[in-house]
């Protein structure tokens, strides 16, 4: 079947609808190639002829031959025609892909973009003194040829994978943590279990099509749910594990469509009570709706209906959506080898808009992002307003992604300088002030308060009485973690799982800190994992704390006979979707057996419990009282975890090692009167031979 997609790229305001033409047609002078089963092996050739031959044309009106689907385009819009294959036939491009050594991905050349001591601001305003810095910084990347997987499903239920084209430059890759792991198995033959088949069927059943093309997966697809609320929408954060599952399985079309369509939604006008948030905000979710065409009662057209927070509970803007979008964009390029997508003008513009929104100068004295409650995965009131760890870890990851993907030129050099400065400042801030272990807690216990000095030890005026009683006996002698939040006179000592896992994945923490986080999880397995991985927060809020901090939110409780109990939903509930992030962190730190232990535990229950969104009780024994069943990111997180464990090499494409070049650009080194020590130097001294 022939098909084509008309992707509008706005140079001005986009039209109020996004409509895609879809049918057998010849568009802009050439027809898409036929795609059938015999043509899959030639997919890379056809795509290189069509996708890379991007044609931008100005036009006033395009009339489609589609029956019942109209293409509405603004006068100042441009279009690109992209060949599409049938859903289910899209696979990772067959054939070899070598990175051009003269322009390897992940190698970032930044001429003259460092600031001096007086220009430490991480704003993107053009105030960089170029003459003070003549050195060229190179961000070492993976000089590799992307892994190509050819999957052959046999009648016996076996899947044969031929891992060809792996060409690793060991100088650019830290493989110390991979000892004992087989990363380059030439051939793998594994049996697909019944639970895997069930999971894939559920995931594919959650796919949403827009004008004939897959664009994402709904949050939950429970056939018995009569009131889906917004669970029938495509959430950016929820789609990430689904996207990774498809990418790891060689199906990149749905991810590419998702990235491009959400990019178009970014430029829409968003207004809540006559006020519009900053440009660059990504939606929390969107839905495909069918509306009457030009007032007709018989003809309909499909439109995308986004939610930027104006319909969300509490009307909170999704700060993490843009960060997840950037992280997924990098993952798409790393796994598929299709770097042309991130080099597109509209995609580069989208990255810059998100970064401009995050890096704008304000009143804050800290390099961490200041956000309100409910602006991330914990999207209800839970006392995380301020500088929550989850946002900081995702922010750091997005900055590292952007540093790899941004095209460096005169228009972006100030932005790149701002990224470098913020990365340096943020990593120091988190490593130095968010980290707690037994030694640090003893220091806090003996803090002096009301210190008025630039050399104060207790810089945030933390009162020792804030140390909670549960922490005194809970913190192990070996191990530690990053606290959930830090503000003046306030430390949130709760353990937030997602934030701690992403400090490991992104190397926001030092190698020693990252190792200690996993040691703590292993030591406190009964508290953080128990019967179902993993607790979103530990411990839960109880009694007056719950009433004051959550506003008596009943969804964060469970119980019998009017007895209100904690350990539910965001208040200490167990969320299986965190499994894939835990797996990624374990593989990075050389502890895949720890991830396998959690996957095995989840596999015993998830299918029997119909893939719930979350679990209640302290040990995660009950299915969540208000939990949706057949939750898509529960399914996708499970599948992604298993595929990462089966092929750790692919996991290495999704995490970051310590950036030793960034240590050289640490902004504190430009100051003669600044801080006396920098925790960023610790990994270098602890890593002989580097």
């Amino acid at each position: 079947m022939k098909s084509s997609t008309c992707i509008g790229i706005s140079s001005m305001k986009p039209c109020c609808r996004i409509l895609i033409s879809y049918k057998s047609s010849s568009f802009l002078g050439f027809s898409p190639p036929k795609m059938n089963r015999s043509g899959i092996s030639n997919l890379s050739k056809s795509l290189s002829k069509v996708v890379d031959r991007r044609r931008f044309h100005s036009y006033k009106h395009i009339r489609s031959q589609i029956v019942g689907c109209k293409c509405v385009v603004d006068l100042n819009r441009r279009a690109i025609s992209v060949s599409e294959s049938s859903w289910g036939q899209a696979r990772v491009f067959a054939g070899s892909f070598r990175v051009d050594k003269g322009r390897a991905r992940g190698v970032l050349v930044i001429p003259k973009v460092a600031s001096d001591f007086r220009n430490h601001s991480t704003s993107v305003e053009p105030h960089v003194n170029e003459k003070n810095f003549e050195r060229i910084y190179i961000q070492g990347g993976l000089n590799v040829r992307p892994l190509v997987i050819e999957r052959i499903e046999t009648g016996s239920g076996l899947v044969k994978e031929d891992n060809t084209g792996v060409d690793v430059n060991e100088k650019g890759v830290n493989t110390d943590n991979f000892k004992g792991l087989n990363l380059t198995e030439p051939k793998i033959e594994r049996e697909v279990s019944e639970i895997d088949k069930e999971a894939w069927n559920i995931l594919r059943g959650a796919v949403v099509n827009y004008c004939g093309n897959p664009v994402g997966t709904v949050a939950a697809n429970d056939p018995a749910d009569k009131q889906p609320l917004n669970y029938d929408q495509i959430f950016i954060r929820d789609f990430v594990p689904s996207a990774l599952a498809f990418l790891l399985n060689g199906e990149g079309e749905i991810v590419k469509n998702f990235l491009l369509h959400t990019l178009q939604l970014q430029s829409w006008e968003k207004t809540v009570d006559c006020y519009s948030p900053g440009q660059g905000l990504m939606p929390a979710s969107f839905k495909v709706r069918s509306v009457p065409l030009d007032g007709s009662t018989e003809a309909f057209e499909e439109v995308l209906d986004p939610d930027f927070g104006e319909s969300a509970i509490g009307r909170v803007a999704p700060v993490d959506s843009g960060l997840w979008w950037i992280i997924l964009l990098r993952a798409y390029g790393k796994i598929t080898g299709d770097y042309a997508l991130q080099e597109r003008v509209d995609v580069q513009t989208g990255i810059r808009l998100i970064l401009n929104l995050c890096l704008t100068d304000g009143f804050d004295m800290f390099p961490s992002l200041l956000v309100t409650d409910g602006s991330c995965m914990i999207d209800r009131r839970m006392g995380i307003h301020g500088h929550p760890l989850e946002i900081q870890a995702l922010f750091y990851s997005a900055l590292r992604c952007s540093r790899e993907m941004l095209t460096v030129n005169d228009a972006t050099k100030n932005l790149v300088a701002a990224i470098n400065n913020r990365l340096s400042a943020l990593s120091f801030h988190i490593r130095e002030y968010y980290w707690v272990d037994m030694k640090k807690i003893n220091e806090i216990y003996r803090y002096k308060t009301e210190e008025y000095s630039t050399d104060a030890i207790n810089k945030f005026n933390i009162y020792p009485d804030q140390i909670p009683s549960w922490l005194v006996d809970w913190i192990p002698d070996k191990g530690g973690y990053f606290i959930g939040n830090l503000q003046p006179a306030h430390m949130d000592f709760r353990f937030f799982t997602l934030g701690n896992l992403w400090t490991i994945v992104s190397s926001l923490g030092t190698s020693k800190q990252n190792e200690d986080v996993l040691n703590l999880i292993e030591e406190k397995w009964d508290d953080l994992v128990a019967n179902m991985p993993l607790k979103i927060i530990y411990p839960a809020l109880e009694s007056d704390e719950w009433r004051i901090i959550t506003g008596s939110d009943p969804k964060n409780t469970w119980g019998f006979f009017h007895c209100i109990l904690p350990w539910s939903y965001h208040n200490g509930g167990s969320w299986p979707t965190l499994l894939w992030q835990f797996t990624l962190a374990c593989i990075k730190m050389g502890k895949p057996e720890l991830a396998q232990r959690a996957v095995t535990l989840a596999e015993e229950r998830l299918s029997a419990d119909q893939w719930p969104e979350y679990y209640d009780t302290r040990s995660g024994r009950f299915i969540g009282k208000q939990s949706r069943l057949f939750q898509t990111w529960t399914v996708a997180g499970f599948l992604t975890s298993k595929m990462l464990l089966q092929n750790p090499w692919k996991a290495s494409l999704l995490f970051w090692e310590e950036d030793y070049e960034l240590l050289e650009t640490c902004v504190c080194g430009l100051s003669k009167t600044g801080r006396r020590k920098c925790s960023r130097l610790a990994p270098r001294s602890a890593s002989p031979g580097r």
Side-chain angles (χ1 to χ4, degrees):
M1 172 180 189
K2 295 181 180 179
S3 63
S4 66
T5 300
C6 167
I7 301 174
I9 306 171
S10 298
S11 56
M12 296 179 66
K13 286 185 179 180
C15 65
C16 60
R17 308 184 181 108
I18 296 181
L19 301 175
I20 307 301
S21 64
Y22 175 77
K23 184 69 174 177
S24 176
S25 63
S26 177
F27 185 64
L28 296 183
F30 66 96
S31 299
K34 287 186 177 181
M35 291 301 299
N36 49 40
R37 296 185 181 274
S38 63
I40 295 176
S41 61
N42 296 320
L43 182 57
S44 64
K45 296 181 180 179
S46 63
L47 286 178
S48 63
K49 292 179 181 179
V50 181
V51 176
D52 293 337
R53 193 195 308 161
R54 291 177 289 172
R55 303 183 178 185
F56 295 91
H57 294 276
S58 297
Y59 59 93
K60 294 185 178 180
H61 187 74
I62 294 178
R63 188 174 299 274
S64 173
Q65 299 177 0
I66 304 163
V67 177
C69 185
K70 182 180 179 183
C71 182
V72 180
V73 187
D74 275 358
L75 297 180
N76 293 305
R77 291 172 70 95
R78 295 173 293 167
I80 171 174
S81 179
V82 181
S83 153
E84 303 289 357
S85 64
S86 299
W87 171 243
Q89 292 183 351
R91 292 285 186 268
V92 172
F93 308 151
S96 298
F97 286 83
R98 287 190 179 274
V99 178
D100 183 71
K101 294 183 179 179
R103 195 172 181 275
R105 300 303 308 180
V107 178
L108 186 61
V109 180
I110 311 169
K112 304 180 182 179
V113 292
S115 60
D116 60 12
F117 172 66
R118 289 173 24 170
N119 291 321
H120 284 169
S121 168
T122 56
S123 169
V124 296
E125 297 299 322
H127 59 269
V128 176
N129 186 344
E130 299 178 12
K131 295 183 180 179
N132 290 340
F133 194 73
E134 298 293 334
R135 184 174 177 180
I136 296 177
Y137 285 86
I138 299 178
Q139 166 63 29
L142 300 177
N143 185 15
V144 301
R145 184 164 42 144
L147 187 67
V148 178
I149 306 295
E150 290 186 358
R151 302 176 72 257
I152 305 174
E153 296 188 8
T154 65
S156 60
L158 297 178
V159 175
K160 297 181 180 179
E161 298 183 357
D162 185 11
N163 300 357
T164 60
V166 179
D167 182 15
V168 182
N169 180 356
E170 295 183 356
K171 294 181 180 180
V173 182
N174 181 6
T175 58
D176 294 341
N177 291 331
F178 293 151
K179 292 179 181 179
L181 300 180
N182 192 347
L183 302 182
T184 57
E185 290 180 304
K187 290 185 180 180
I188 303 172
E189 186 170 297
R190 60 182 176 84
E191 184 175 356
V192 179
S193 66
E194 290 301 319
I195 188 174
D196 287 0
K197 292 178 182 178
E198 178 190 348
W200 275 112
N201 288 335
I202 296 172
L203 183 58
R204 296 191 189 283
V207 170
V208 176
N209 287 292
Y210 174 53
C211 291
N213 296 309
V215 293
T217 52
V218 293
N221 194 25
D222 184 358
D225 189 0
K226 304 303 181 182
Q227 293 182 323
L229 298 178
N230 58 351
Y231 282 82
D232 60 350
Q233 297 189 20
I234 303 169
F235 283 80
I236 288 186
R237 78 173 68 92
D238 291 40
F239 181 68
V240 172
S242 297
L244 292 177
F246 285 123
L247 288 173
L248 293 172
N249 199 46
E251 303 173 38
E253 179 192 10
I254 184 174
V255 182
K256 184 174 183 178
N257 292 341
F258 172 85
L259 289 168
L260 290 174
H261 284 303
T262 48
L263 176 65
Q264 290 179 317
L265 296 174
Q266 180 192 42
S267 60
W268 280 29
E269 291 184 0
K270 316 104 182 173
T271 302
V272 178
D273 294 337
C274 303
Y275 179 78
S276 298
Q279 191 178 16
L281 180 66
M282 281 288 188
S285 62
F286 65 92
K287 185 174 183 177
V288 178
R289 298 185 185 276
S290 295
V291 299
L293 180 61
D294 297 331
S296 172
T297 58
E298 297 180 356
F300 293 84
E301 60 184 354
E302 290 185 338
V303 297
L304 297 181
D305 183 13
D307 176 17
F308 292 93
E310 68 269 25
S311 300
I313 298 173
R315 303 299 188 266
V316 178
V319 177
D320 65 335
S321 287
L323 307 178
W324 279 120
W325 186 87
I326 291 177
I327 293 169
L328 181 57
L329 177 64
R330 173 187 180 267
Y332 172 83
K334 285 284 187 180
I335 296 176
T336 67
D338 178 16
Y339 295 108
L341 178 66
Q342 59 191 234
E343 294 170 354
R344 286 175 45 153
V345 175
D346 55 336
V347 174
Q348 289 282 312
T349 301
I351 297 174
R352 292 200 301 270
L353 286 175
I354 295 172
L355 294 179
N356 288 343
L357 195 60
C358 295
L359 296 174
T360 301
D361 277 339
F363 292 102
D364 208 354
M365 293 291 291
F366 312 132
S368 46
L369 280 182
L370 177 65
V371 300
T372 187
D373 228 335
S375 57
C376 52
M377 178 183 176
I378 301 177
D379 56 2
R380 300 168 76 95
R381 186 174 164 188
M382 189 47 65
I384 66 169
H385 58 280
H387 306 85
L389 178 65
E390 176 178 333
I391 289 293
Q392 314 316 320
L394 293 176
F395 180 37
Y396 187 81
S397 302
L399 288 176
R400 294 199 66 173
C401 291
S402 302
R403 196 164 176 255
E404 293 180 27
M405 297 186 295
L406 274 176
T407 301
V408 183
N409 50 40
D410 290 340
T412 61
K413 65 180 182 180
N414 290 330
L415 179 58
V416 175
I419 291 173
N420 287 333
N421 287 347
R422 185 62 75 93
L423 281 170
S424 175
L426 182 60
S427 62
F428 176 86
H429 185 76
I430 298 298
R431 294 175 178 188
E432 197 75 11
Y433 304 123
Y434 277 63
W435 178 255
V436 292
D437 53 14
M438 182 58 77
K439 178 182 177 182
K440 183 67 175 181
I441 292 174
N442 268 289
E443 290 179 9
I444 298 173
Y445 180 69
R446 295 172 57 85
Y447 266 170
K448 294 181 179 180
T449 59
E450 315 301 334
E451 293 181 284
Y452 184 79
S453 169
T454 56
D455 297 326
I457 296 176
N458 187 2
K459 294 183 179 180
F460 297 91
N461 199 35
I462 303 299
Y463 297 100
D465 288 345
Q466 286 188 25
I467 300 175
S469 58
W470 64 265
L471 184 61
V472 176
D473 297 322
W474 191 76
I475 190 77
D477 292 330
K478 294 183 179 180
Y481 67 100
F482 294 92
I483 61 173
N485 212 328
L486 176 64
Q487 299 184 74
H490 173 66
M491 295 181 77
D492 186 345
F493 287 97
R494 288 176 293 174
F495 179 89
F496 288 76
T497 301
L498 191 149
N500 274 275
L501 293 179
W502 272 94
T503 59
I504 298 174
V505 172
S506 65
S507 286
L508 176 54
T510 66
S511 58
K512 179 64 167 60
Q513 288 172 338
N514 294 339
E515 184 179 352
D516 282 349
V517 170
L518 283 187
N519 288 340
L520 180 138
I521 294 176
E522 189 171 14
E523 179 74 19
K524 298 298 178 180
W525 188 269
D526 290 341
D527 292 329
L528 301 176
V529 180
N531 292 295
M532 178 56 62
L534 286 118
K535 288 292 180 192
I536 189 171
I537 293 176
Y538 184 90
L541 299 173
E542 301 186 47
S543 188
D544 289 339
E545 271 192 322
W546 164 75
R547 275 186 281 271
I548 295 170
I549 294 178
T550 73
S552 300
D553 185 354
K555 193 165 185 178
N556 284 306
T557 61
W558 70 283
F560 306 100
F561 309 111
H562 307 291
C563 180
I564 298 177
L565 301 173
W567 306 103
S568 177
Y569 200 52
H570 295 147
N571 189 23
S574 300
W575 291 71
T577 186
L578 295 172
L579 190 60
W580 73 270
Q581 294 158 97
F582 179 61
T583 301
L584 195 57
C586 289
I587 292 175
K588 178 187 174 181
M589 300 309 297
K591 292 188 174 183
E593 70 283 352
L594 197 60
Q596 184 60 63
R597 180 182 173 188
V599 170
T600 302
L601 190 64
E603 192 168 11
E604 294 174 355
R605 294 190 58 190
L606 287 179
S607 178
D609 293 341
Q610 298 183 311
W611 308 92
E613 179 184 12
Y614 65 93
Y615 286 78
D616 284 345
T617 76
R618 188 180 188 118
S619 61
R621 295 191 65 186
F622 288 1
I623 298 172
K625 198 165 190 177
Q626 298 188 44
S627 174
R628 293 304 198 278
L629 301 180
F630 301 101
Q631 186 80 14
T632 305
W633 69 352
T634 296
V635 176
F638 170 77
L639 288 172
T640 299
S641 297
K642 295 197 71 173
M643 286 188 284
L644 290 174
L645 286 170
Q646 290 159 2
N647 197 335
W649 161 248
K650 291 184 179 180
S652 70
L653 300 175
L654 300 175
F655 57 69
W656 295 261
E657 295 293 348
E658 177 68 86
D659 187 348
Y660 291 98
E661 294 295 337
L662 192 61
L663 296 180
E664 299 293 338
T665 67
C666 188
V667 293
C668 67
L670 301 176
S671 170
K672 296 180 181 179
T673 60
R675 51 205 183 210
R676 297 177 180 176
K677 63 177 181 176
C678 178
S679 64
R680 293 189 61 79
L681 299 178
R684 171 159 291 191
S685 61
S687 302
R690 278 191 174 266

